[in-house]
Amino acid sequence: MILLFLGTLLGIIFGPALFILVPYIRNYFAGAVCKSKAKLNGKVVLITGANTGIGKETARDLAKRGARVILACRDTAKGEVAACEIRAETGNQQVIMKKLDLADTKSIRQFAENFLAEEKELHILINNAGVMLYPYAKTADGFEMHLGVNHLGHFLLTFLLLERLKQSAPARIVNVSSLAHLMGRICFHDLQGEKFYQRGLAYCQSKVANVHFTQELARRLQGTGVTVNALHPGTVQSELTRYSSVVSLLWKMFSFFLKTPQEGAQTSIYCAVAEELESVTGQYFSDCQPAYVSAHGRDDETAKKLWKVSCELLGIQWE
């Protein structure tokens, strides 16, 4: 009875204060907002995984800026719905959905072939799509799913489109990584998780691979007019957790503290359009500002070795 009384009393005393503070607390967790007013009329943008989540919100924002936006999606039904929605909202009729399955190199090569035949320019490539906490499975080419989709799929796509980016320079490549890279290690002795598999660690490995790819690609693209940066979007309410019922439940319980997809898209947008990043390359951002990269993620020798191994797995020569 005494505890109930005290609880009620504290609610009366502090309730109004908490009510006032809620918007400020929410704004803190929402993170930074891209303040650039840059217009993208005449620019061509390609975003993978743009039918939902931060990819869709990134597409919406860049469409509002006047860009021709290609949504590269595995789920064509959802992709077409997203494209229709963005066209209706922005009035930009240059929002197009194209089929792309990053878990199948044949699909990636077919997508790239069609893209190069239809699009004469590419100014911004946003490697956004990904899977997280996926039960052990392999892609169509036999790659562990996280590594295959999150790293190798985007590695191959970028390779196939790179000359178009160079021809369209100044151009930008944006790789969506994650804070999870801090816990990632490239296990060259068991890259495909065949000896030991833990899906959380597999996701972390794929995210540090994004960082390694960004830094090595930036080194190789010096002087071409094409920049490449990676980012952490924040902890976002999205479909990315759908393969783990436990994490999905936790996300729902603590949704107040998570970013919305629109909030999570801000750093992707910032890396794509911010004028001050025109010549910045090989960096990692979070909340629209440079962020810490793990010591492992900064290891140049690991990045070079991963590059070589990735080329071998994909059967390409990328010097």
Side-chain angles (χ1 to χ4, degrees):
M1 193 69 179
I2 294 174
L3 290 175
L4 180 61
F5 171 76
L6 289 174
T8 303
L9 184 62
L10 288 171
I12 294 172
I13 296 172
F14 296 108
L18 288 173
F19 181 78
I20 293 171
L21 288 173
V22 162
Y24 296 97
I25 296 171
R26 185 67 196 85
N27 285 340
Y28 171 80
F29 286 104
V33 174
C34 176
K35 297 179 181 179
S36 172
K37 303 299 182 184
K39 293 296 183 182
L40 297 177
N41 301 87
K43 302 296 183 182
V44 179
V45 178
L46 170 60
I47 308 173
T48 66
N51 62 293
T52 187
I54 64 174
K56 180 180 176 182
E57 293 305 322
T58 302
R60 191 194 310 273
D61 182 279
L62 302 188
K64 287 179 180 177
R65 295 171 187 266
R68 175 176 172 82
V69 183
I70 291 93
L71 316 184
C73 308
R74 180 183 60 82
D75 189 325
T76 55
K78 285 187 177 180
E80 194 53 59
V81 169
C84 288
E85 179 186 316
I86 294 170
R87 286 195 297 266
E89 180 182 328
T90 65
N92 183 345
Q93 299 306 304
Q94 295 297 302
V95 178
I96 302 159
M97 191 282 302
K98 297 290 183 182
K99 168 77 173 179
L100 172 64
D101 184 355
L102 288 163
D104 186 346
T105 59
K106 288 183 180 178
S107 174
I108 299 169
R109 289 181 181 278
Q110 186 62 59
F111 172 88
E113 182 181 332
N114 293 342
F115 182 92
L116 294 173
E118 297 167 3
E119 304 292 338
K120 301 309 177 187
E121 294 180 299
L122 176 58
H123 302 95
I124 302 172
L125 168 61
I126 303 180
N127 291 320
N128 166 83
V131 295
M132 184 174 82
L133 302 177
Y134 205 93
Y136 188 76
K138 292 187 176 182
T139 67
D141 302 274
F143 307 136
E144 186 277 317
M145 191 63 71
H146 293 92
L147 185 76
V149 172
N150 298 356
H151 169 59
L152 292 172
H154 285 126
F155 188 96
L156 178 60
L157 179 66
T158 304
F159 167 74
L160 295 171
L161 300 180
L162 190 58
E163 287 307 311
R164 185 67 88 242
L165 284 158
K166 289 179 180 179
Q167 293 164 7
S168 308
R172 302 186 189 193
I173 301 169
V174 179
N175 294 326
V176 178
S177 180
S178 168
L179 185 68
H181 91 271
L182 296 173
M183 297 176 284
R185 298 289 185 275
I186 304 298
C187 301
F188 289 108
H189 65 282
D190 188 25
L191 202 57
Q192 308 294 346
E194 294 173 329
K195 298 176 183 177
F196 171 78
Y197 183 75
Q198 203 285 327
R199 49 185 168 174
L201 294 178
Y203 175 72
C204 293
Q205 175 179 248
S206 72
K207 292 292 103 178
V208 78
N210 295 153
V211 174
H212 286 311
F213 174 45
T214 298
Q215 295 181 338
E216 181 62 13
L217 182 57
R219 185 183 70 80
R220 291 166 178 259
L221 290 178
Q222 289 289 347
T224 64
V226 181
T227 62
V228 53
N229 291 294
L231 66 97
H232 167 55
T235 308
V236 183
Q237 300 176 46
S238 72
E239 295 181 7
L240 201 59
T241 63
R242 62 188 179 276
Y243 298 113
S244 172
S245 56
V246 174
V247 176
S248 295
L249 178 61
L250 289 172
W251 254 232
K252 289 178 182 178
M253 289 173 61
F254 296 99
S255 60
F256 177 81
F257 303 102
L258 305 181
K259 291 184 177 183
T260 64
Q262 182 181 28
E263 292 162 352
Q266 294 305 306
T267 306
S268 293
I269 297 165
Y270 174 75
C271 289
V273 306
E275 297 89 341
E276 63 268 29
L277 298 186
E278 185 174 350
S279 60
V280 174
T281 190
Q283 300 301 305
Y284 173 78
F285 293 85
S286 179
D287 277 330
C288 302
Q289 61 185 357
Y292 174 78
V293 175
S294 70
H296 188 76
R298 297 193 303 271
D299 189 287
D300 290 340
E301 291 307 311
T302 300
K304 291 175 182 177
K305 184 175 180 179
L306 179 63
W307 186 282
K308 181 175 182 292
V309 170
S310 299
C311 287
E312 290 171 353
L313 289 170
L314 292 166
I316 61 175
Q317 290 186 334
W318 192 355
E319 300 301 331

